Amino acid sequence: MYQRTQLGKKVEINVLQDYRKIYDSLLKGELNEDRLPNGKIFRDKLPNSEVLSIGDGIKTVHRPPTTETAIKVALTALIEYMNNDDTPSIYKALVTHFFFENTHPFLDGNGRRGVIFCRHILLTNLIALLAFLWLLQFIIMFSNTIRYLRMPIVRKIELI
C-alpha cells in the first residue's frame, strides 16, 4: 500500500477482506503468532479474558467493539464513508484515521495502519503537503521507529 501511494496509485477498500489484505501485506513477518488476528478477518476475542479499553487507567473513555461481528459492522460503515465522494478529503482522512483506530480491529498494528490510511487518502487526493506534514509529525513523535514498533501494547486488563 505504501509503495502504491508513493506511485500515486489509489488503493481501494470495497469489502472487509481488503482491510485484511492490506494488514497482511504491511505486517508480514513483523508480528508474533499470538498477535495475529484470531478471527476470520479481524480479532475476535482478546486472549486471557482481557478487555480492551481506552482511557487513563482510572477512567475508561471508550471500549472498542468486542467481537469480530461488531468490528465487521463498524468497518462496513467506514467503507461506505470512505467511498463517499461527497465528503471533503481532509475530513475523510481524519475521520477514517480516528474511526479505524477506535474500532481497533486487530490485536496489533492498528495505530500504524490508521496513520497509513490517513496518509493514503490525503496523497491520493492531491493534498501532498498536508500528508507530508502529517507524516513528519508521526516521524518526530516516534523518531526511534524500531523502538516504537517493538513497544508492547499497553492495555488495561479487567477480568469479566
Side-chain angles (χ1 to χ4, degrees):
M1 179 174 174
Y2 179 79
Q3 289 85 2
R4 288 183 61 84
T5 299
Q6 292 297 97
L7 297 171
K9 295 180 180 176
K10 188 173 185 179
V11 175
E12 293 189 12
I13 298 175
N14 296 307
V15 294
L16 293 171
Q17 289 79 2
D18 292 342
Y19 286 113
R20 180 60 187 264
K21 288 176 190 172
I22 292 167
Y23 179 85
D24 288 343
S25 71
L26 292 171
L27 288 176
K28 187 175 183 177
E30 294 290 323
L31 300 176
N32 293 332
E33 189 73 26
D34 65 333
R35 302 310 304 161
L36 296 174
N38 55 7
K40 291 184 180 187
I41 303 173
F42 306 109
R43 70 170 166 81
D44 192 18
K45 302 280 185 191
L46 293 176
N48 305 317
S49 300
E50 296 173 26
V51 175
L52 184 62
S53 62
I54 298 170
D56 61 8
I58 297 170
K59 182 178 179 181
T60 298
V61 294
H62 175 67
R63 289 219 170 146
T66 57
T67 65
E68 185 174 39
T69 300
I71 291 168
K72 287 178 178 180
V73 169
L75 292 183
T76 297
L78 183 58
I79 289 171
E80 288 178 31
Y81 177 78
M82 289 167 47
N83 291 324
N84 179 348
D85 292 333
D86 296 335
T87 305
S89 297
I90 185 70
Y91 298 138
K92 194 182 292 191
L94 295 172
V95 169
T96 298
H97 175 85
F98 174 82
F99 196 89
F100 181 82
E101 288 191 33
N102 278 280
T103 302
H104 208 83
F106 300 106
L107 294 169
D108 197 1
N110 295 291
R112 289 169 265 164
R113 297 304 67 78
V115 168
I116 288 172
F117 286 146
C118 182
R119 182 177 181 275
H120 175 72
I121 290 169
L122 294 173
L123 278 176
T124 56
N125 290 287
L126 303 176
I127 308 175
L129 177 60
L130 189 53
F132 173 75
L133 293 174
W134 188 278
L135 183 60
L136 185 60
Q137 175 193 9
F138 181 78
I139 290 169
I140 291 168
M141 287 174 47
F142 303 105
S143 59
N144 186 345
T145 304
I146 300 301
R147 190 179 110 243
Y148 170 68
L149 292 174
R150 293 185 180 167
M151 287 173 60
I153 292 182
V154 178
R155 256 189 265 176
K156 179 179 176 184
I157 299 175
E158 298 176 355
L159 297 177
I160 297 177

